[in-house]
Amino acid sequence: MDSTKLAMGGVPETRIGRSTVLIVLKRLGVGVLTLWAVSVLIFASTEILPGDVASAILGRNKTPEAELAIRHTLGLDRPVPVRYFDWLSRFVQGDIGKSLVNQRDIGPEIRERLGNTFFLATVAAGISVPLSIFLGLLAAVWQNSIFDRAINTLSLLTISVPEFFVGYVLIIVFSVKLGWFPSLAMMNDDMSYLQRLYAISLPVSTLVLVVLAHMMRLTRAAVINILSRPFIEMALLKGIPRWRIVIEHAVPNALAPIISVVAVNLAWLIVGVVVVEVVFVFPGMGQLMVDAVANRDVPVVQTCGLIFAAVYVGLNMIADTLGILSNPRLRHAR
Amino acid sequence: MTSKIKFPGSIITRRDLLAQSAAVGVGAAVGLPLWSSRAAAETPRRGGKLIVGVKGGSSSDSLDPTLIPSQAAAYLTYQYGSWLIERSPEGELRGELAESWEPLEGGKRWVIKLRQGVKFHNGKDFTAADMVYSLNRHRGPDTKSPAVSLMKSIDDITADNPYQLTISLKEPDVSLPYLIAYIHLVAQPKDENPASAIGTGPFILDKAEPGKRYTFHRNPDYFKPNSVWFDELEVLVINDDTARISALLSGSVHIIGEVPPNLVPNLKNVPNINISSSPNSRFYYFVMRVDQPPFDNPDLRLALKYAVDREAILNNVAPGYGEIGNDTPINSVFPFYSNDIPKHSYDIEKAKYYYKRSGHSGPIVLHTAEVFPGAVDMSVIFQQSAAKAGITLELKREPVDGYWDNVWIKAPFCVSYWGSLTTEDQAFSMPFASGAPWNDAHWERPEFDKLLAKARGELDPKARKAIYREAAMMVHDDGGHITVMFTYDIQAMSNKIQGYTIFPFGEDARNTQTCWFAA
């Protein structure tokens, strides 16, 4: 992802030591275990939910006979562990299965939706991560200036209103009143790359406004924290210009917390944007998973859940690794 | 509302129309230009791509007509499918794929002659064998179709020749033509994936992206002359109300359905937008289980029926777009509606009187959940209006998820609704007949069942109406439903849309074949 490359740019050139490889491998192992635990949890929780796919398909029109018929054809009358291991053995072999509700293969649908979700998240991250770090640095350098206060107030405002509200405001202003951008963020096959970018302009703006504040404020706080250390004072006394102190001395030391807050926000951009998807009618993963949960479509819920979990585990792992690489004390662990 | 939207007069005045269904249907089929007549004033223009925003679609929606799992799926069914018989905007039956229909043995056997030369979207000819196959998919022990209970009365369906089929019933039923106009009973080709949306309807499906978008193009071989003006059709699933309305306002879509009544005032002030509403039989009610105390006490039931302020609820939930309910499932949209049934209106004195007579004391638990927009409001207003009559209702909030599994039919007193009941027989038999799986009040009265059977065999419309009035009175006085209101469907559209027609019973999806773009 763009953002991770960007974060790496700030890291001094280094040879990845053997210990780092070991740490990464260990993390990978734990990650796989986490995913397995997640799959058990998801399966169990869909079992605990009242009703099953048969009653979800039939809904208000349920008759006992039709319910039994559906349960039998879908194999839902088998015991829970049998169904779980049946699913697991297929999943491990790469067969993510068919939707229980409409009997379609899950693969193509997930691929398309995941592609959309990643597209939206990448564009939003590509704008928000550099912007927030840049603004955060400026705010730290000009601490307590008018600029600092203005940007703090503005970002507090966008973070404290719910994201659907930000979305609606943008729609009313830029779509209904001004007519500049579409209110529907439909993604269709016949659209060019630029058309797609245009279609998602409003949801991207919403997401940028929502994640900006968090990352910016943390960057500012981390850098200010470093700037209050004695060695910075020393550098100041030696007459090094302020911008060099920030870029060469403060930022490298503040990287670890910045990287981890960026990772958390990136993960949110992928797994947490269902509300924004609904407001802009964006065909992403969130809506797919919500529909699947409502229909008790276990294979779809499982696959979505595992993808989401993998995103979190993966991003956290990358953040930790980068954090280690950016800190020589951790890099050369004994 | 503008002159472009036509309201088909008063529906209540056309009570004799059933004669047409019960007698011989030939007349309906001869009048070919029937479906073009109302558009004659303005000359329709061919061309353009219509984009519609619909609510209630999910990424798991299937296009198999035995399922029709959502409102969006229903909308699509009207685009690719046709039926043997359809209901005109005026409520009359007219042949769609059927050229004529005729009852034999007092309605026990029906001979249906089919239109010839109709082609499915896959190029194959439509024949009686296809129709027999299509209807049989909704019968029998293995079917998932919700039409199964309607089809129970059917004994056998046979193809007499390629263009004629016979439906044999176990008991006579003069409303069979209405029954086979039911949305699930779409004509489908044999030997084809039943979820492929291949039918004989006005539009041919190009691409289905469930929960998102469906694209169609005009069926050049469509059998109805002078209809279908748009070259292309795009149906977008927009579940969020605000998103749907802003899509219309920003010009991304031309027509939206399911406009929430409370948002209509905001839309009315917008230039270039027209609002239309169509009457429906959908009703919202509280259901009491009459087989369980305390609701086995008819006095308590009456007390509660008088303790609901229906007017306040309707004004709160659907101001201006509905009808007050009167504890029967029949409203003015039905041909056999009787408007002289005494009203159960909000009456504190009567409620107090019957409550005292019932001898009940203590709070009554009402299970509620937002299973339709306004369900909880409706329950809270009921609680307040009942309190004025000295009746204490205790509201128990239930999760929406799993409500139909765990609460409805099981709880002694809960909130619910019925949609898509399109004939008097359905409206009475599905929620009230003994042994019906969805008899949620558990109200079983053999005399009532006998009335329904009698009505099914009654060819004289006047006599039928009298029977249905009697049935309505039984449900009204003694039944377990507190029918609060009926609500209408509200659509909003760009003023570029011409020829918009009001179809009752939630069939406004048919407008894709009647409308065109203004020049």
Side-chain angles (χ1 to χ4, degrees):
Chain A
M1 227 172 295
D2 291 7
S3 47
T4 48
K5 272 188 214 135
L6 185 122
M8 248 192 277
V11 179
E13 281 287 322
T14 174
R15 276 201 344 265
I16 297 173
R18 226 157 126 219
S19 53
T20 322
V21 176
L22 256 179
I23 293 172
V24 170
L25 281 180
K26 251 193 220 160
R27 290 255 159 183
L28 263 178
V30 174
V32 172
L33 263 178
T34 313
L35 289 185
W36 173 76
V38 165
S39 84
V40 175
L41 271 179
I42 297 174
F43 205 91
S45 38
T46 45
E47 281 305 315
I48 293 167
L49 284 173
D52 65 1
V53 69
S55 53
I57 291 175
L58 296 166
R60 179 73 165 64
N61 297 321
K62 180 173 72 150
T63 58
E65 304 96 63
E67 213 177 343
L68 278 180
I70 292 182
R71 267 196 201 124
H72 188 73
T73 35
L74 295 179
L76 295 178
D77 42 5
R78 295 172 301 161
V80 182
V82 175
R83 277 186 283 137
Y84 175 74
F85 284 107
D86 184 44
W87 169 83
L88 187 67
S89 65
R90 279 180 214 215
F91 190 86
V92 172
Q93 292 166 40
D95 174 12
I96 54 176
K98 281 183 175 177
S99 156
L100 294 181
V101 179
N102 56 19
Q103 304 304 315
R104 272 191 292 259
D105 281 324
I106 300 170
E109 170 102 41
I110 295 229
R111 246 195 310 277
E112 199 198 315
R113 296 226 172 208
L114 193 62
N116 289 341
T117 290
F118 275 132
F119 179 58
L120 182 68
T122 311
V123 177
I127 296 171
S128 62
V129 173
L131 190 64
S132 58
I133 291 179
F134 179 69
L135 290 178
L137 283 180
L138 288 189
V141 174
W142 294 326
Q143 200 185 336
N144 296 330
S145 67
I146 292 180
F147 171 81
D148 182 27
R149 277 186 212 151
I151 198 109
N152 259 318
T153 319
L154 266 178
S155 60
L156 256 184
L157 199 76
T158 58
I159 204 174
S160 47
V161 292
E163 64 251 41
F164 66 85
F165 183 77
V166 177
Y168 285 148
V169 169
L170 291 180
I171 287 180
I172 288 171
V173 175
F174 293 103
S175 182
V176 175
K177 294 275 180 239
L178 296 171
W180 292 352
F181 297 110
S183 69
L184 297 180
M186 285 277 173
M187 295 281 106
N188 300 323
D189 295 346
D190 51 356
M191 288 166 86
S192 70
Y193 186 74
L194 276 178
Q195 279 172 320
R196 280 168 195 250
L197 273 181
Y198 177 64
I200 62 167
S201 40
L202 288 187
V204 163
S205 316
T206 310
L207 292 177
V208 166
L209 285 177
V210 172
V211 295
L212 198 63
H214 193 196
M215 290 192 286
M216 195 210 84
R217 292 174 70 86
L218 225 121
T219 306
R220 176 182 174 274
V223 173
I224 285 177
N225 181 30
I226 302 290
L227 286 180
S228 65
R229 297 274 182 84
F231 74 90
I232 299 288
E233 204 172 340
M234 185 64 177
L236 264 179
L237 292 175
K238 281 168 98 180
I240 302 175
R242 204 170 155 81
W243 64 269
R244 268 189 64 191
I245 295 177
V246 170
I247 300 293
E248 288 178 14
H249 300 283
V251 171
N253 282 296
L255 262 182
I258 295 177
I259 289 171
S260 64
V261 71
V262 166
V264 168
N265 278 291
L266 288 182
W268 182 82
L269 284 176
I270 292 168
V271 310
V273 298
V274 63
V275 176
V276 174
E277 285 180 18
V278 169
V279 168
F280 292 99
V281 201
F282 183 80
M285 288 289 282
Q287 191 57 52
L288 182 70
M289 184 157 176
V290 169
D291 284 350
V293 171
N295 288 318
R296 308 285 184 271
D297 200 342
V298 182
V300 181
V301 178
Q302 280 283 19
T303 313
C304 293
L306 285 180
I307 289 173
F308 286 168
V311 165
Y312 255 103
V313 171
L315 281 174
N316 273 314
M317 206 163 73
I318 292 171
D320 286 354
T321 317
L322 288 178
I324 293 166
L325 290 180
S326 70
N327 188 334
R329 279 166 301 224
L330 290 172
R331 204 157 64 218
H332 301 295
R334 264 145 290 191
Chain B
M1 219 174 291
T2 71
S3 60
K4 275 159 241 139
I5 295 157
K6 296 177 220 87
F7 196 84
S10 164
I11 292 158
I12 316 156
T13 56
R14 280 165 283 95
R15 297 197 187 112
D16 52 341
L17 61 94
L18 248 262
Q20 198 183 359
S21 86
V24 185
V26 179
V30 179
L32 270 185
L34 251 179
W35 41 67
S36 58
S37 61
R38 53 184 24 251
E42 305 105 8
T43 30
R45 228 169 48 95
R46 176 145 286 161
K49 175 174 172 186
L50 176 72
I51 308 176
V52 183
V54 300
K55 185 183 181 168
S58 139
S59 50
S60 58
D61 281 352
S62 163
L63 287 168
D64 185 337
T66 58
L67 297 173
I68 314 190
S70 66
Q71 288 148 286
Y75 198 94
L76 300 163
T77 309
Y78 286 105
Q79 311 313 324
Y80 76 80
S82 331
W83 290 258
L84 281 174
I85 296 171
E86 67 167 348
R87 225 185 251 262
S88 75
E90 292 78 18
E92 292 149 23
L93 290 181
R94 60 190 183 194
E96 210 172 20
L97 292 169
E99 218 156 50
S100 68
W101 52 96
E102 195 174 352
L104 301 174
E105 298 162 37
K108 201 161 179 220
R109 269 195 323 128
W110 288 80
V111 176
I112 299 168
K113 285 208 169 66
L114 302 182
R115 187 180 297 277
Q116 302 196 11
V118 177
K119 280 198 189 314
F120 282 113
H121 299 160
N122 62 5
K124 290 196 179 135
D125 284 322
F126 163 75
T127 64
D130 297 304
M131 202 62 229
V132 172
Y133 157 81
S134 307
L135 293 175
N136 279 338
R137 292 193 65 228
H138 303 269
R139 311 200 301 135
D142 297 327
T143 183
K144 296 180 223 169
S145 173
V148 65
S149 61
L150 296 173
M151 306 290 274
K152 264 184 188 148
S153 62
I154 295 179
D155 192 36
D156 197 18
I157 306 173
T158 51
D160 308 331
N161 64 51
Y163 297 103
Q164 181 179 315
L165 61 97
T166 302
I167 300 178
S168 319
L169 304 177
K170 289 169 188 151
E171 301 292 331
D173 186 358
V174 292
S175 66
L176 182 90
Y178 278 104
L179 191 152
I180 55 178
Y182 193 49
I183 179 167
H184 288 268
L185 307 179
V186 178
Q188 295 190 277
K190 260 170 44 169
D191 317 314
E192 184 69 63
N193 171 8
S196 60
I198 290 179
T200 52
F203 288 96
I204 299 175
L205 179 71
D206 291 321
K207 192 169 181 212
E209 297 167 77
K212 181 186 155 195
R213 181 174 88 138
Y214 300 81
T215 46
F216 295 84
H217 66 275
R218 193 171 69 85
N219 177 5
D221 300 323
Y222 191 46
F223 58 91
K224 288 185 194 175
N226 293 321
S227 67
V228 196
W229 308 103
F230 302 110
D231 290 332
E232 286 176 85
L233 168 69
E234 192 171 308
V235 178
L236 302 181
V237 176
I238 311 178
N239 289 322
D240 185 58
D241 290 337
T242 317
R244 211 162 51 259
I245 289 171
S246 42
L248 177 71
L249 292 178
S250 61
S252 307
V253 300
H254 302 110
I255 303 179
I256 57 169
E258 298 271 320
V259 179
N262 57 341
L263 294 180
V264 170
N266 306 356
L267 276 174
K268 269 194 171 149
N269 301 327
V270 182
N272 312 331
I273 301 286
N274 292 327
I275 309 257
S276 162
S277 79
S278 41
N280 206 324
S281 60
R282 181 178 50 239
F283 63 89
Y284 301 92
Y285 60 101
F286 302 105
V287 54
M288 308 172 275
R289 280 191 63 167
V290 304
D291 61 340
Q292 279 193 1
F295 305 106
D296 53 351
N297 182 335
D299 283 322
L300 183 69
R301 298 208 289 274
L302 264 181
L304 289 169
K305 283 174 181 176
Y306 280 116
V308 192
D309 191 347
R310 296 161 212 245
E311 212 156 317
I313 294 175
L314 181 65
N315 284 338
N316 188 283
V317 177
Y321 290 95
E323 263 175 60
I324 288 180
N326 191 26
D327 303 336
T328 94
I330 304 294
N331 69 336
S332 64
V333 72
F334 288 96
F336 289 136
Y337 166 68
S338 299
N339 58 358
D340 57 343
I341 293 175
K343 296 270 179 293
H344 276 162
S345 36
Y346 183 39
D347 190 328
I348 296 177
E349 290 315 309
K350 278 188 186 151
K352 274 185 183 160
Y353 169 77
Y354 284 109
Y355 187 62
K356 204 172 168 204
R357 225 171 75 160
S358 75
H360 184 271
S361 64
I364 297 169
V365 178
L366 170 63
H367 298 257
T368 186
E370 196 75 354
V371 283
F372 54 84
V376 172
D377 284 355
M378 175 168 127
S379 311
V380 171
I381 298 173
F382 184 20
Q383 184 184 37
Q384 288 162 358
S385 67
K388 286 185 192 146
I391 304 172
T392 315
L393 292 185
E394 199 175 285
L395 298 190
K396 189 166 184 311
R397 267 303 276 269
E398 302 280 355
V400 174
D401 206 62
Y403 187 82
W404 304 116
D405 278 320
N406 305 320
V407 180
W408 184 60
I409 290 196
K410 295 187 177 127
F413 193 26
C414 68
V415 67
S416 176
Y417 73 95
W418 262 106
S420 71
L421 296 168
T422 55
T423 69
E424 289 82 355
D425 188 58
Q426 275 177 32
F428 279 123
S429 57
M430 293 174 88
F432 300 106
S434 306
W438 305 314
N439 185 338
D440 47 9
H442 301 251
W443 182 81
E444 308 208 333
R445 300 285 183 270
E447 323 85 271
F448 179 80
D449 302 333
K450 272 185 211 142
L451 275 181
L452 294 188
K454 200 169 135 199
R456 282 183 204 122
E458 181 57 68
L459 284 158
D460 175 32
K462 271 207 174 123
R464 270 192 103 194
K465 192 187 160 187
I467 299 171
Y468 282 134
R469 188 184 182 280
E470 207 180 321
M473 282 304 292
M474 286 188 71
V475 177
H476 173 265
D477 294 342
D478 183 54
H481 277 200
I482 304 174
T483 314
V484 173
M485 60 186 169
F486 295 80
T487 58
Y488 292 170
D489 301 318
I490 310 172
Q491 302 95 36
M493 70 211 70
S494 141
N495 64 354
K496 279 200 280 183
I497 300 290
Q498 306 273 308
Y500 202 85
T501 312
I502 290 166
F503 289 90
F505 295 109
E507 293 194 350
D508 65 276
R510 287 188 191 271
N511 270 300
T512 53
Q513 42 179 314
T514 63
C515 293
W516 65 91
F517 282 128

